[in-house]
Amino acid sequence: LPDDDSANWYPYLEEVLPASPAARSALDMALWDRLAKAAGLSLKKLIDAPEPTVKSSYTLGFGDLEMFDRRLHAAAGYPNLKVLLDSKSAIEFLDLLSDQEDIVWRFDGCRDWNMNIARKMLPRIKRVNMDLIEQPFAEGNFDDVARLRNLYDVPIIADEDCRTIEDIPVLADCYSGISLYPGKCGGI
């Protein structure tokens, strides 16, 4: 494995692990960590990464309302919470959130919404301190993403619709941003 430069190892990892972005990511991050340690630098300094401009979220997953309430209390103190909002339980969860004024909410539609569901949820979403909606519709449903963004002036972030840099031009006309993490994209 060529381990001295990402320009050498990344193509190799794509070749030997084409269907395993998580495995590529693990190896890619280990190799970056090795380079950073050898240089006596943090990875952030080694790659000259800028300071983040977006704060991360604490994610509250699915469950019944009682479980959600427990998770909400466990997340006390986190300023940004992301809620996974499937179409079946979304209305109930949104009604619970309206009195949580000190939290910035981010909603992940888990690719489960359609425009009818989005139209029912948006008035409730707009009542809370909402920051963004992540991947509300099935992969490739760019028309509804653009329609939702234009109808409600809400930032919508791509998740599963963006796996490689080649996906970005297609997404630019409908999404407001992209959620990236190494395990999905195959590395740093």
Side-chain angles (χ1 to χ4, degrees):
L1 176 66
D3 67 353
D4 60 337
D5 182 356
S6 65
N8 295 327
W9 79 62
Y10 198 78
Y12 176 78
L13 292 175
E14 283 187 311
E15 180 183 325
V16 298
L17 298 167
S20 300
R24 285 196 315 270
S25 177
L27 291 168
D28 180 64
M29 287 188 282
L31 290 165
W32 277 111
D33 184 57
R34 180 177 164 170
L35 283 181
K37 285 179 178 170
L41 299 169
S42 68
L43 177 58
K44 183 177 182 243
K45 286 194 191 305
L46 180 71
I47 64 174
D48 195 28
E51 287 296 321
T53 58
V54 176
K55 301 258 188 238
S56 185
S57 305
Y58 182 94
T59 301
L60 303 173
F62 291 116
D64 60 31
L65 294 176
E66 184 179 315
M67 181 184 299
F68 180 79
D69 194 47
R70 284 196 309 271
R71 289 177 179 166
L72 184 59
H73 289 306
Y78 287 91
N80 302 314
L81 297 180
K82 181 169 105 173
V83 179
L84 305 175
L85 278 181
D86 70 334
S87 61
K88 295 164 199 67
S89 59
I91 301 297
E92 293 175 276
F93 283 107
L94 288 170
D95 288 342
L96 268 179
L97 306 181
S98 60
D99 62 346
Q100 305 288 330
E101 297 172 6
D102 56 333
I103 297 171
V104 174
W105 294 101
R106 295 171 177 167
F107 299 109
D108 186 337
C110 303
R111 303 169 299 178
D112 187 49
W113 299 8
N114 60 44
M115 275 307 290
N116 290 332
I117 289 178
R119 283 187 179 108
K120 289 177 187 171
M121 285 193 282
L122 260 294
R124 285 176 167 87
I125 287 175
K126 291 245 178 206
R127 282 188 241 151
V128 301
N129 187 13
M130 187 269 303
D131 189 33
L132 59 85
I133 297 172
E134 181 179 318
Q135 195 76 39
F137 303 112
E139 291 173 56
N141 188 349
F142 305 127
D143 291 339
D144 280 348
V145 172
R147 190 175 300 118
L148 181 64
R149 186 173 162 207
N150 292 332
L151 282 173
Y152 294 100
D153 189 32
V154 59
I156 303 177
I157 305 301
D159 186 353
E160 290 83 2
D161 269 329
C162 187
R163 299 199 187 271
T164 69
I165 198 165
E166 289 82 18
D167 296 329
I168 294 172
V170 175
L171 306 176
D173 290 335
C174 56
Y175 282 103
S176 307
I178 299 166
S179 173
L180 296 176
Y181 51 96
K184 175 182 72 174
C185 299
I188 299 173

